[in-house]
Amino acid sequence: MNIVIMGPQGSGKSTQAELLAKKLNTVHISTGDIYRSIANQNSDLGRKIKEYIEKGELIDDETTFTVVDKHLAEIKSGFVVEGFPRTIGQAEREIVPVDKVIYLRLDDNEATKRLLSRGRTDDTPELIAQRLKLYYLDTVPVLNYYRQQGKLLEIDGSKTIPEVHNLILQSLGI
């Protein structure tokens, strides 16, 4: 099964993707982790991605395809991915079919509070506000895209980690 986990920054996508991948005995792909790793490399791609991260901007579609396609092409037996797709262009260019999309709903105040508490250098109030603005502009339409396909499962992301995990499993019928 190929599952996408979406939601605003701080909604618990990474945590839930990791738990779900473990439960399903499948691969967890975190584009955020991949991008941060590449950004630390002294390469043209690393410098380009680092610049996007430092500005709090979404990585452009072309660069995203370059990075994500490589990872998805290596997977043979399903995955749980978070951080992709983030734009309609990315969703429409589905190189691997998506079975279900889990949307972790979370309000901006709670998202900001969670992000500030994790202490990453790119989690400043200004960059968080910028990323949330981009999320609503670029990613929310992707939710509607999957909703129209009947693939979207909406989960209250404000609950505890175990509660959210159980809600996800119930919505998937697991």
Side-chain angles (χ1 to χ4, degrees):
M1 183 179 291
N2 298 330
I3 298 172
V4 171
I5 297 190
M6 299 182 74
Q9 294 78 15
S11 62
K13 294 182 301 291
S14 295
T15 300
Q16 294 302 328
E18 193 174 305
L19 290 170
L20 185 57
K22 185 175 182 180
K23 176 75 175 176
L24 297 174
N25 194 29
T26 194
V27 178
H28 167 216
I29 301 171
S30 167
T31 58
D33 289 348
I34 294 167
Y35 290 142
R36 282 186 289 279
S37 174
I38 293 171
N40 288 326
Q41 299 171 6
N42 186 19
S43 66
D44 288 341
L45 182 61
R47 285 186 289 278
K48 181 178 184 179
I49 289 174
K50 185 175 185 175
E51 188 175 317
Y52 277 106
I53 290 171
E54 288 175 347
K55 291 180 180 177
E57 296 177 353
L58 290 179
I59 310 296
D60 68 278
D61 285 356
E62 183 180 330
T63 304
T64 297
F65 296 144
T66 300
V67 172
V68 174
D69 286 1
K70 177 183 174 222
H71 284 80
L72 291 179
E74 297 170 357
I75 297 170
K76 306 295 182 219
S77 62
F79 59 81
V80 177
V81 65
E82 39 101 1
F84 177 85
R86 288 197 174 170
T87 67
I88 286 290
Q90 292 172 13
E92 290 174 340
R93 187 188 169 274
E94 189 175 83
I95 64 160
V96 179
V98 170
D99 298 306
K100 292 292 179 190
V101 177
I102 297 164
Y103 168 44
L104 302 176
R105 291 186 321 269
L106 189 68
D107 71 55
D108 290 359
N109 290 335
E110 182 63 22
T112 301
K113 186 173 109 180
R114 289 180 182 186
L115 291 170
L116 289 173
S117 72
R118 70 183 182 184
R120 281 198 336 223
T121 56
D122 60 330
D123 285 338
T124 65
E126 298 78 21
L127 288 178
I128 291 168
Q130 173 67 17
R131 291 197 317 259
L132 286 170
K133 179 181 173 185
L134 289 173
Y135 169 76
Y136 289 113
L137 183 67
D138 293 326
T139 307
V140 169
V142 177
L143 297 173
N144 294 329
Y145 174 81
Y146 286 121
R147 186 177 287 116
Q148 291 171 353
Q149 293 182 6
K151 295 180 180 182
L152 191 71
L153 304 171
E154 296 192 39
I155 304 293
D156 180 356
S158 69
K159 299 189 177 299
T160 67
I161 291 169
E163 288 172 328
V164 171
H165 182 64
N166 285 332
L167 288 170
I168 290 170
L169 295 179
Q170 289 171 10
S171 70
L172 291 170
I174 298 172

